[in-house]
Structure formats: C-alpha cells, structure tokens
Amino acid sequence: AHGDHFGALVNQYNVFRGITVERILVNFLSETERMKAIGSSEVGKNWSLTEGNAYTKVPPAAKALGAEVHQIHVGQVFYVADVTMEVIYTIESFAPNVCNALNPSSTVMKMDIAGTSYMSTGDATGNGMEICTKMYGDYLQSDIIQVCHHGYSTWGNDSGMIQAYRVINAPTVLWPQGMAHYPTHKTYAYNSVLFDVPNYKEVYVSGAEGDSIILPIPYTVGTGIVN
C-alpha cells in the first residue's frame, strides 16, 4: 500500500485504458488495524497517519477502468493465460500481532509462468517472510526472486529474511533498487545470503545498465536482455 507500488494505478490510471483491466487483486490492512498500529506505543513510531490508506484510493481507479476489486486470501490461486498466481502471504497471516510497519502488510505471491517459477515479495519484510517459511517450507523454492523491500530494512527480523532466502534458493535475483544504494545494501547480512545459496547464478539491478530488463519466458539463466 505504499505509493511506489500502487501509485501509478491511482494517480495515472489513464495509462491503463489501452488494455482491458478486469480485476485488481488486493488485501490491504483494514482501517481498524491501521489505526491500532499507529496508536501503538511499541510500533506507532514506525508509521505516519498518511500511510496505508490505499484501500480508499484503489476503488475509484478501478471504477474508472471498469475493473472489479477482489480481496484475496492465502491459499487462493488465480490463472491468467499461462500464468498461475498463488497467494502465499497477506496481512491476515500476521494476526493476531499488530503490524509493526506498513511494509509487512505486502502480499506475497508465488507465480508460475510457462514453467518458470517467480517469487513476488513486494515490500514484505522479515516477519512476513518468516511466516511464509513456517507455512510453506521448501515449497517456496523458485527460479526467480524479487528482492524484498528493495533490499532495505527487514523491520527488525533479519533472521526471518535470511531463513526465507535460503529456502527460496533462487538462481536469478531481481533487485528493484537502483545503483545508488545497491553496492552497500548487497553487503548486508540479510541480503548477502541471496548470493550464498547453492542455486545462485545472477542478479539484475534496476537502472544499473538500462531502462528495462526482459527475461524471455520460459527463462534460462543468462538470457536476460537489458535495454
């Protein structure tokens, strides 16, 4: 629910008018839980009053696009053409604990695209990824992983992140951060494990060599195209 993830949808939704948008899949933190977190003496300092209100902004954009908004839950599987999307984690998985920051409310999906498995983690951080590991274990192993939270903080649970990365054990790492911070952040213990797992082969960093990176599907390590 951070603007760098859903902002284009709600602020520039006209760019999507050239395609047919049927459904928008979300599971946002409820207002009750959001205010509980903001008011918590323990975790409230991690929040601002303007964070996490995407649930009020997405429906108008969806209406303008003629799309339905679907509240998704762990265990559901969605099929779009040759893409399979399985919901691995939502903020409901965090219950009954108060969400310690907005990032752990990110939905995590494991996708299969024509035989290539992809772990989409959004801004999920240490606590969320630890829950994923406890729930799914080795089933999390994937061919490609998008680095959690751009490689930024784990919100106090480095070990949970490390454990998850070891289980995911991905050959190909997509790092949505940019070169300004990547050289430093790749050395952090909770990130360096990505390069230490047995299957690791390569990393693509956004903005490192061009404006876009294309991975032909089904993907073979080393065949990514940087434009």
Side-chain angles (χ1 to χ4, degrees):
H2 271 146
D4 60 325
H5 290 258
F6 80 94
L9 174 64
V10 300
N11 296 318
Q12 303 290 336
Y13 60 79
N14 281 330
V15 303
F16 296 98
R17 289 192 185 277
I19 59 176
T20 300
V21 182
E22 296 179 350
R23 290 179 293 276
I24 298 175
L25 309 179
V26 301
N27 190 320
F28 292 136
L29 192 69
S30 70
E31 178 64 3
T32 300
E33 290 300 312
R34 188 174 81 95
M35 295 310 296
K36 187 186 297 184
I38 290 173
S40 168
S41 59
E42 182 180 353
V43 303
K45 62 182 180 296
N46 299 338
W47 289 75
S48 75
L49 283 172
T50 58
E51 279 189 302
N53 61 348
Y55 59 87
T56 66
K57 299 179 178 180
V58 168
K63 183 177 180 180
L65 293 169
E68 296 180 352
V69 178
H70 285 254
Q71 183 86 354
I72 61 177
H73 306 282
V74 170
Q76 288 182 316
V77 181
F78 298 88
Y79 302 92
V80 181
D82 59 353
V83 179
T84 301
M85 303 184 294
E86 182 175 1
V87 184
I88 298 295
Y89 167 91
T90 72
I91 183 55
E92 294 163 328
S93 309
F94 206 93
N97 296 319
V98 176
C99 193
N100 65 319
L102 183 59
N103 300 120
S105 71
S106 278
T107 295
V108 176
M109 285 191 175
K110 182 177 182 182
M111 305 186 183
D112 184 277
I113 311 168
T116 296
S117 55
Y118 169 59
M119 185 62 65
S120 175
T121 63
D123 264 348
T125 49
N127 288 338
M129 296 309 295
E130 181 177 1
I131 291 169
C132 289
T133 305
K134 288 179 178 178
M135 290 177 65
Y136 288 93
D138 291 341
Y139 180 71
L140 297 180
Q141 198 282 313
S142 302
D143 298 316
I144 303 171
I145 182 174
Q146 170 241 308
V147 175
C148 299
H149 194 200
H150 312 272
Y152 291 122
S153 76
T154 68
W155 282 111
N157 191 343
D158 292 8
S159 62
M161 188 76 78
I162 290 170
Q163 183 183 26
Y165 283 160
R166 290 196 183 283
V167 172
I168 294 169
N169 192 19
T172 300
V173 176
L174 304 184
W175 204 300
Q177 185 178 51
M179 287 302 293
H181 299 288
Y182 170 72
T184 300
H185 287 193
K186 71 177 182 179
T187 66
Y188 296 169
Y190 59 82
N191 286 328
S192 63
V193 67
L194 287 160
F195 310 115
D196 292 334
V197 297
N199 285 349
Y200 171 74
K201 299 293 183 184
E202 60 183 356
V203 60
Y204 291 99
V205 182
S206 59
E209 301 174 71
D211 295 328
S212 65
I213 299 169
I214 300 171
L215 305 185
I217 298 297
Y219 183 66
T220 301
V221 169
T223 62
I225 303 166
V226 179
N227 291 330

